Amino acid sequence: MKNRTLVCILCLLSFTAESESSKEVYSFVIDENQERFYTLLDTYRCPKCQSSNLSGSNAPIAKDLKREIHRLIEEGKTDEQIEAFLRSRYGDFILYKPALRKNTLILWLGPFILLSLIVFLVVSWNMSSKRKSKDLEAEQIVKVIERTRLKKLFEED
Amino acid sequence: MNRITHYLPLIFFIFLIIGLFTFLDNEESDLRSVLLDKNFPDFSLSKLENQEIVTKNDLVELPSLLNVWATWCIACRVEHPFLMRLRNESTINIYGLNYKDDRSKAINLLDQIGDPYEFSIFDHEGILAIDLGVYGAPETFLIDKSGIIRVRHVGVLTPEVWEEKFNGVLNNLKEDEK
């Protein structure tokens, strides 16, 4: 049991060691740019990877792009200019947040259409089932009344 | 009535899948070709075989192919015989872009298996590669006479791919010249 906990702890430690090693040190003339740099790396997707951002990837291309982004920041480029730089080369693929365009409309509007459809269906189902249960109630009441009437008739006999 | 409502989620799901595929699949092919019909980017890098600096102006014999390759790229070996064939049949000139590689290893490899390129550009840092939107090797570009990228292919260049993507465009380019 003790061994097992030890193994678990070691496993956890090894993970943090790995993620630390993938962060290379980039120094900036202006300190605030460091934070900007890491935010940008988190924002863009590595072109080589299926689903990993630039900061999470060790692919050679990701390293090159980190270097380029570092260079662009040091040259005083704005975030918009850096995004334009990346998009003109790698297209929308590098964006996790797709641009609002004709062919991406389904991504932006799809969830809302889906939600309103579900709300509509649930409400209409609810209404019809309520109506049904009300009908049943009424039927029950009628039955009770009829029964008491019958009973009375029998008793009178 | 009840039957239909039972199958409603399934029908909806199928429509959703079809919708997503038709809308987003087109985009997928788009983003692999952001640089299509754009000018080939400027560069200033050294040749593989010596330290001589080459620029865009040294890509003189156009139209031509630019093929991204490296010694660490196994798929590049697969397409190598086809590149040799293109050269031997003098179908088109090929320039190489040696991508993130070791200079002496790359020269040795070409000595061993043959050099299909007019010359190779040595891009150790991946500088030109980034401007081309390259994210792996092999990749092949067709550049027309005025230095515009006409075709881009990611992956192995096979005779089938050549027929399908390159040959038609190349013939059109040649006809336009006449």
Side-chain angles (χ1 to χ4, degrees):
Chain A
M1 190 58 206
K2 244 189 184 174
N3 257 345
R4 213 176 268 178
T5 40
L6 194 68
V7 167
C8 282
I9 290 167
L10 282 178
C11 281
L12 286 173
L13 283 178
S14 71
F15 267 113
T16 52
E18 232 257 304
S19 55
E20 277 309 305
S21 73
S22 68
K23 266 196 179 169
E24 287 153 60
V25 183
Y26 287 90
S27 58
F28 289 86
V29 179
I30 307 163
D31 276 346
E32 286 87 66
N33 278 340
Q34 185 104 21
E35 207 168 307
R36 235 184 94 206
F37 177 68
Y38 286 118
T39 326
L40 286 174
L41 293 193
D42 285 336
T43 315
Y44 297 114
R45 180 177 171 193
C46 156
K48 180 88 182 167
C49 320
Q50 275 310 312
S51 194
S52 168
N53 52 21
L54 286 175
S55 65
S57 169
N58 270 328
I61 181 71
K63 280 185 187 164
D64 286 355
L65 286 175
K66 283 176 203 169
R67 187 195 64 218
E68 288 297 301
I69 291 173
H70 176 254
R71 181 177 64 82
L72 291 170
I73 289 178
E74 288 295 77
E75 281 174 10
K77 295 278 177 356
T78 63
D79 289 359
E80 288 75 30
Q81 282 169 319
I82 293 172
E83 174 161 327
F85 174 91
L86 291 169
R87 274 186 70 185
S88 68
R89 286 159 179 78
Y90 293 97
D92 289 345
F93 188 91
I94 52 131
L95 302 176
Y96 272 119
K97 191 178 158 189
L100 185 59
R101 279 196 275 103
K102 226 174 163 184
N103 53 352
T104 58
L105 223 55
I106 194 169
L107 287 178
W108 286 93
L109 299 181
F112 297 109
I113 295 171
L114 205 66
L115 185 71
S116 46
L117 204 75
I118 289 169
V119 168
F120 172 76
L121 284 180
V122 166
V123 167
S124 66
W125 272 329
N126 243 358
M127 292 233 283
S128 74
S129 70
K130 242 183 207 167
R131 206 177 301 137
K132 259 185 205 164
S133 67
K134 264 187 188 164
D135 283 355
L136 274 178
E137 248 170 65
E139 228 169 87
Q140 220 89 38
I141 291 167
V142 170
K143 263 185 195 166
V144 171
I145 293 171
E146 277 178 349
R147 228 174 260 162
T148 44
R149 253 197 208 160
L150 275 174
K151 254 189 190 172
K152 265 188 188 169
L153 279 176
F154 278 121
E155 276 166 13
E156 271 171 24
D157 276 351
Chain B
M1 179 61 201
N2 236 339
R3 278 265 162 91
I4 298 170
T5 50
H6 273 157
Y7 287 110
L8 212 60
L10 182 69
I11 294 165
F12 187 77
F13 178 71
I14 290 168
F15 270 105
L16 190 73
I17 294 293
I18 293 171
L20 284 175
F21 260 100
T22 46
F23 274 96
L24 299 173
D25 217 34
N26 294 340
E27 203 203 7
E28 174 72 17
S29 50
D30 265 356
L31 54 89
R32 283 166 189 267
S33 51
V34 217
L35 278 137
L36 274 192
D37 300 324
K38 300 253 167 71
N39 263 317
F40 194 85
D42 290 315
F43 65 93
S44 172
L45 292 161
S46 75
K47 270 190 187 176
L48 175 67
E49 39 270 43
N50 48 43
Q51 307 284 335
E52 191 189 325
I53 298 292
V54 279
T55 65
K56 191 177 158 183
N57 297 331
D58 292 294
L59 306 178
V60 276
E61 294 186 63
L62 299 170
S64 65
L65 294 184
L66 183 102
N67 178 251
V68 183
W69 69 282
T71 53
W72 47 261
C73 156
I74 297 161
C76 299
R77 300 288 187 88
V78 177
E79 66 177 10
H80 181 265
F82 184 64
L83 295 180
M84 290 304 280
R85 203 179 102 194
L86 287 180
R87 184 187 176 91
N88 293 336
E89 292 172 0
S90 50
T91 320
I92 189 167
N93 288 306
I94 310 171
Y95 296 101
L97 178 67
N98 183 253
Y99 178 50
K100 295 181 81 66
D101 208 349
D102 181 272
R103 196 191 283 267
S104 56
K105 266 191 200 166
I107 294 173
N108 278 342
L109 184 76
L110 289 185
D111 280 345
Q112 278 169 28
I113 62 174
D115 185 354
Y117 309 112
E118 298 296 309
F119 62 80
S120 277
I121 305 158
F122 183 64
D123 191 5
H124 182 67
E125 310 294 327
I127 293 165
L128 175 57
I130 283 184
D131 284 341
L132 283 170
V134 167
Y135 52 89
E139 283 194 27
T140 307
F141 296 83
L142 174 62
I143 311 161
D144 76 3
K145 201 143 196 134
S146 34
I148 289 166
I149 297 168
R150 287 308 187 87
V151 185
R152 177 189 186 182
H153 176 67
V154 179
V156 176
L157 184 65
T158 59
E160 291 77 38
V161 171
W162 177 259
E163 278 305 316
E164 199 181 305
K165 282 175 106 170
F166 288 85
N167 210 9
V169 180
L170 186 62
N171 286 338
N172 282 343
L173 290 179
K174 280 179 181 165
E175 244 161 60
D176 287 347
E177 272 172 43
K178 278 173 196 169

